[in-house]
Amino acid sequence: MADAPTGRGARGARARTAAIAGAATLAVGGLAACTGGTGGANGAGDGDARSDVGVQMFQWTWDSIAQECTDTLGPAGYGWVLTSPPQEHILGEEWWTSYQPVSYRVESRLGTREQFEAMTAACREAGVDVIADAVINHMTGSDTGGTGWAGSSYEHYDYPGIYTTGDFHHCGLTPSDDIVNYGDAAQVQTCELLNLADLDTSSEKVQDTLRAYLQDLLDLGVAGFRIDAAKHIAPEDLAAILDPFPDDTIVRREVIGASGEPVQPAQYTGTGQVFDFVYARALTAAVRSGDLAGVLDLPTSTGLSSNQAVVFVDNHDTERNGETLSRSYGDQYALATTLLLAAPYGTPVVLSSYAFGITDPNLGPAQDSTGAVLDAACPDEVGPGVAYPDQTWVCQHRWDAVVGMVNWRIAAGDAPAEEITAMDDGVLSFRRGDAWVVLNVTREPVSFGLETALEPGEYCDVVSGLLVDGACAGGTVEVHDDGVASLVVPAQGAVAFHPGQRVSG
């Protein structure tokens, strides 16, 4: 949920050489920066190297995530996954039913408590942390009540054995008690978001209840939480709920930044990270305008430092409300994701979701006759040029460009962006350590030579494919004896290479 549940040669180049500080670093309670490593067969890391890149596995079942951690995510070097909310929720086919809690039982249409615990164990064995999406700001938005997925009864302000009406905010600031003015912090943090029963998170009882739920998730093996709708919880209330947890608990908050509003992301960075919506919007604007270099300047304008920010191209809300690029934009989306993973700012997360038509943004994932979500099955062919029928799994985390840039990011480690060349016609190149990337936002392919200090030889273009059995699965880059790399960068595409993906010398 968010604020709404719908929720190219070098001629003519202007060169700038600089060290862009702020590589993805250890956040409070977060993952370590990507470690050095080389790519192995089939696009995997070397077995130990791990990136800081996460995958939001939106509406994937627990069994599916477990299998994907073992088969794909761990071998590819992903560092963490973000699950959908695991608690009991209201009944319904729409995606947002998961964001209306009925109880804190770990029993949902995505799987049972036992399956959830088995998933965290499988992912941990694969070297992948599990972050649970925690809905702790509110309960349901139903005026009439009903029965939840696991059989718990509820009313709008009555959840037997958990909460009664006195445990909720009744702000009295608007006729409906709903948020009307986002310029009023009191409304944002004590009134209801679209009729969702807003918990009085200042209450000791409520804090204890929420803390017990989060502790239960930790006991089940999660490494931490995404705090949904954190903007709607006063910072001091959220701190009181989270402070007792161990220092290594990962906490990442959803705080949607908007200019001029009194509630800002920087207010929530005391004990963890914040999802940087400003960066996501700017990344979209940069790819659309062609000013790619501007992305490397963004960390000075977001109000968040690199170790405080979780960065993304899109998430489950923005792919529906059109605020950012999404998979429907094809090559532009893949290019934006490549830049996201190449830039040193923030802790990146990519979305892995299912297709839906623009006329039905509420469409939920494919379900069986009981409403249980069917296990995810990635198509044989995935990528920006694939047509995805509704409810088909898009599996962005398996796209060649994404897997390749995870590998590249591991090779880049915590090195800053240097030798930045921003060309007037929409091409950006830079390196991080010995890892190079060139991005082309134009609609024509570009050929030129790039001066590097790399050993001569043939290197895999990791954007199009990694080393498999000693050969490049995709395109190649030739580095000559003088260190100049010969490149052909596709239209609205990228080329990236590093020594760990060198084929020959």
Side-chain angles (χ1 to χ4, degrees):
M1 296 281 281
D3 291 338
T6 46
R8 178 221 326 178
R11 182 184 302 174
R14 50 181 177 88
R16 300 179 301 154
T17 300
I20 302 297
T25 54
L26 180 64
V28 178
L31 291 169
C34 36
T35 58
T38 60
N42 304 315
D46 62 10
D48 296 316
R50 185 66 50 199
S51 78
D52 60 341
V53 183
V55 184
Q56 180 188 3
M57 309 201 76
F58 183 63
Q59 293 292 299
W60 281 57
T61 65
W62 312 147
D63 286 351
S64 295
I65 294 175
Q67 195 66 55
E68 201 68 3
C69 278
T70 301
D71 295 347
T72 301
L73 301 176
Y78 285 98
W80 53 285
V81 296
L82 170 61
T83 75
S84 290
Q87 82 290 314
E88 181 183 12
H89 49 74
I90 64 171
L91 300 178
E93 297 180 356
E94 299 84 356
W95 68 266
W96 42 258
T97 59
S98 296
Y99 288 84
Q100 296 196 30
V102 168
S103 78
Y104 298 117
R105 296 174 60 184
V106 181
E107 196 82 21
S108 76
R109 67 182 184 178
L110 298 176
T112 66
R113 180 183 182 89
E114 291 75 21
Q115 288 170 316
F116 186 85
E117 186 172 26
M119 177 264 292
T120 65
C123 290
R124 185 168 57 250
E125 178 68 20
V128 182
D129 285 333
V130 175
I131 310 298
D133 202 347
V135 184
I136 62 173
N137 171 68
H138 57 261
M139 298 301 279
T140 74
S142 172
D143 287 326
T144 58
T147 302
W149 176 265
S152 300
S153 62
Y154 67 93
E155 300 291 339
H156 196 190
Y157 301 112
D158 186 13
Y159 300 81
I162 310 173
Y163 301 125
T164 61
T165 186
D167 298 316
F168 294 90
H169 284 133
H170 304 278
C171 72
L173 300 176
T174 67
S176 63
D177 270 358
D178 273 11
I179 301 167
V180 175
N181 178 17
Y182 275 79
D184 182 344
Q187 285 193 37
V188 173
Q189 295 175 343
T190 66
C191 292
E192 294 183 350
L193 173 63
L194 299 175
N195 203 48
L196 295 165
D198 196 79
L199 287 163
D200 179 5
T201 48
S202 67
S203 158
E204 185 174 344
K205 173 192 172 183
V206 172
Q207 291 180 3
D208 287 345
T209 302
L210 295 174
R211 200 178 296 117
Y213 169 55
L214 298 179
Q215 182 61 59
D216 187 36
L217 294 179
L218 289 174
D219 292 343
L220 289 173
V222 305
F225 321 105
R226 169 192 181 267
I227 305 299
D228 178 70
K231 178 177 183 174
H232 302 282
I233 305 172
E236 60 271 21
D237 293 352
L238 195 52
I241 295 166
L242 297 171
D243 281 350
F245 292 113
D247 291 343
D248 62 352
T249 303
I250 300 170
V251 180
R252 294 169 175 150
R253 300 162 175 80
E254 183 202 26
V255 183
I256 303 175
S259 178
E261 290 186 0
V263 181
Q264 291 294 324
Q267 298 169 8
Y268 291 81
T269 58
T271 56
Q273 295 175 304
V274 177
F275 286 83
D276 194 341
F277 284 76
V278 174
Y279 190 86
R281 297 180 197 120
L283 186 57
T284 288
V287 171
R288 286 174 170 169
S289 70
D291 184 18
L292 299 180
V295 172
L296 297 177
D297 295 325
L298 284 174
T300 63
S301 62
T302 60
L304 297 172
S305 63
S306 180
N307 66 328
Q308 294 172 334
V310 180
V311 292
F312 56 96
V313 176
D314 61 336
N315 64 18
H316 63 287
D317 282 313
T318 70
E319 74 166 347
R320 287 171 168 78
N321 64 26
E323 187 177 5
T324 64
L325 290 170
S326 62
R327 51 100 187 166
S328 61
Y329 288 84
D331 289 340
Q332 281 192 330
Y333 178 63
L335 180 62
T337 304
T338 300
L339 184 50
L340 173 84
L341 299 177
Y345 174 70
T347 300
V349 57
V350 298
L351 176 66
S352 189
S353 59
Y354 59 88
F356 58 91
I358 59 174
T359 60
D360 192 11
N362 292 318
L363 182 70
Q367 299 157 45
D368 67 16
S369 59
T370 71
V373 174
L374 300 177
D375 288 338
C378 293
D380 291 337
E381 183 180 3
V382 296
V386 174
Y388 296 93
D390 285 356
Q391 297 184 316
T392 301
W393 295 97
V394 181
C395 299
Q396 291 98 318
H397 68 281
R398 286 196 185 187
W399 291 13
D400 287 339
V402 181
V403 174
M405 288 307 296
V406 171
N407 175 278
W408 186 95
R409 193 172 179 93
I410 292 172
D414 59 1
E418 298 179 300
E419 297 192 55
I420 302 163
T421 302
M423 304 175 189
D424 293 329
D425 48 5
V427 176
L428 172 68
S429 70
F430 61 90
R431 69 173 175 85
R432 292 179 56 194
D434 290 327
W436 287 84
V437 63
V438 188
L439 305 107
N440 173 23
V441 79
T442 75
R443 296 184 179 276
E444 297 292 336
V446 186
S447 301
F448 65 98
L450 179 67
E451 292 185 4
T452 76
L454 296 176
E455 293 292 325
E458 186 180 36
Y459 295 73
C460 291
D461 164 29
V462 301
V463 174
S464 59
L466 296 167
L467 273 173
V468 179
D469 298 328
C472 294
T476 61
V477 175
E478 184 72 24
V479 177
H480 304 287
D481 290 343
D482 58 1
V484 174
S486 297
L487 300 173
V488 178
V489 188
Q492 295 189 333
V495 169
F497 54 103
H498 65 84
Q501 289 285 311
R502 182 167 174 247
V503 181
S504 64

